[in-house]
Amino acid sequence: MEEIQRDVVVIGAGATGLTAATRLQAAGKSVVVLEARDRIGGRLWTNDIEGQMFEIGGQWVSPDQTALIDALAELGLDTYSRYRDGESVYVGPDGEAKRFTGDIFPASDETKAEIERLIEVLDGLVAETDVAAPWTHPKAAEYDHISFRRWLEDQTTDVEAVDNIALFIADAMLTKPAHAFSLLQALLMAASAGSFSHLVDADFILDKRVVGGLQQVPLKLAEQLGSENVLLSQPVRTIEWSDEPGAPARVLTDSLAVTASQVIVAVPPNLYSRIDYVPALPRLRTQQFQHQSLGLVIKVHATYETPFWRDKGLSATAFSPYQVVHEAYDNTNHGESRGTLVGFVSDEKADALFELTAEERKQRILESLAAYYGPEALTPVVYYESDWAAEEWTGGAYAASFDLGGLTRYGAMQLEPIGQMRFGSSDLAAEGYQHVDGAIRVGRRLAAEILDAP
């Protein structure tokens, strides 16, 4: 086994780990990044499928994501706006596709009024919530012990309003059923984007993309570190750590042992338990890991010879809590004449589709796209499903969230170091939670904590 020494060892070559590593290296620290995968990027992955470029993982840039915007500028990466000209489509409980403009979909006046009222109520609660410490809210325990779905049902008897408000947090963000997480977790999700209203506004939250793909961020950060300091196909098996001040840690892969003063574990919380800790971690931290889990979503990519929906006067923005594909957008790459749609199938709907054969699943998904855009959607020239739950070193998407009561019980604890180890990823972010922006912010914080340590 090869033995090396560094000031800091970083586990995970995603945006968090690489941001921390580049900052530490720039400050004069010796760093090595160990990545289990055979590629750089973590949950960012821009790949070529049958000659078509797809963003397999994260891809969006919104105006509030200033850490990401600054990083793109520093790395010399350009952005372009998502196509949004034309009308949007909503499919209601009656199965009828209705075209509309604006943020509020076509429904009865009563349902529209309830949706607008609920958005206002949620914006008020979000304004009271400290995004960096939601567990400090005066009613944190109460809000963390009731599911988001139950809270919504307590606010209104309008089922269509409940279904649609739930969609913006459950299906579209946490990718879990709205009964599986708390109101407090929902408030954190909305607060991380600035308001609940921002989550409702697709033109805000899904504003821009990066020319050439968002994976360029970690790829360019890794270039700054040098290939000798970013080691791929090196899953960490063991961390030997100590509470003694000044004592080093030892990080072991199958072929490498790294001795370092500090360790950053920059992987999703569901993967923490894949590492053997010697000695064992404190009891409550081990419990914490068991109460954070990733959601489940299928990201669907469908490319057509032309963006046919534009000729119909459609922006391709479409959503419905009653469709297999709960939301879809124009995802055409910069400068391409082909048209690409991206759609999402989450939580229990994804469960059901994974019971089908691949061909049956594809047919169900394309039929759902056709419900929004017409029969032309049934015949893409390239079709691909991103299934992050099948990725050994991810296990779900988009990010981890706590179960009922977990945020108040373990939220503050997750930010605390253990011996020489610090844990962090977009899953633990405040602003930019579960986004690349949050990953960068956490990476910066972790580097600053190490540099500021005595």
Side-chain angles (χ1 to χ4, degrees), residues 2-146:
E2 181 184 358
E3 298 266 357
I4 65 173
Q5 290 191 337
R6 293 289 194 276
D7 293 325
V8 183
V9 55
V10 177
I11 302 169
T16 296
L18 293 169
T19 296
T22 52
R23 293 219 158 191
L24 289 165
Q25 181 173 274
K29 298 288 187 182
S30 61
V31 181
V32 67
V33 179
L34 305 178
E35 169 57 49
R37 294 180 175 90
D38 60 0
R39 62 171 181 81
I40 290 163
R43 284 170 276 183
L44 296 180
W45 189 10
T46 306
N47 201 8
D48 185 281
I49 306 295
E50 297 179 28
Q52 179 66 45
M53 189 196 89
F54 288 145
E55 294 272 51
I56 307 300
Q59 65 174 72
W60 307 110
V61 184
S62 60
D64 63 317
Q65 295 178 348
T66 54
L68 173 56
I69 292 169
D70 290 346
L72 294 174
E74 292 169 5
L75 296 171
L77 296 173
D78 296 325
T79 61
Y80 64 102
S81 296
R82 176 178 60 84
Y83 183 84
R84 64 196 70 183
D85 295 340
E87 294 180 303
S88 303
V89 179
Y90 171 72
V91 177
D94 60 1
E96 181 183 350
K98 299 175 183 177
R99 299 164 67 129
F100 71 102
T101 57
D103 296 332
I104 305 300
F105 61 87
S108 69
D109 290 341
E110 293 78 13
T111 295
K112 285 184 179 179
E114 278 298 86
I115 286 176
E116 290 171 348
R117 183 183 68 81
L118 288 169
I119 291 173
E120 185 176 352
V121 170
L122 283 164
D123 277 342
L125 293 177
V126 168
E128 300 170 358
T129 303
D130 182 349
V131 66
W135 45 86
T136 62
H137 192 286
K139 294 186 176 180
E142 176 185 339
Y143 292 168
D144 204 27
H145 293 167
I146 185 172

Side-chain angles (χ1 to χ4, degrees), residues 198-211:
H198 283 166
L199 298 185
V200 176
D201 183 358
D203 288 347
F204 180 90
I205 203 72
L206 310 178
D207 181 27
K208 295 181 183 294
R209 293 178 58 197
V210 174
V211 176

Side-chain angles (χ1 to χ4, degrees), residues 225-246:
L225 290 167
S227 58
E228 70 278 10
N229 296 319
V230 182
L231 306 181
L232 304 181
S233 301
Q234 291 285 351
V236 169
R237 308 300 187 186
T238 304
I239 302 177
E240 297 172 354
W241 64 281
S242 172
D243 271 332
E244 294 182 19

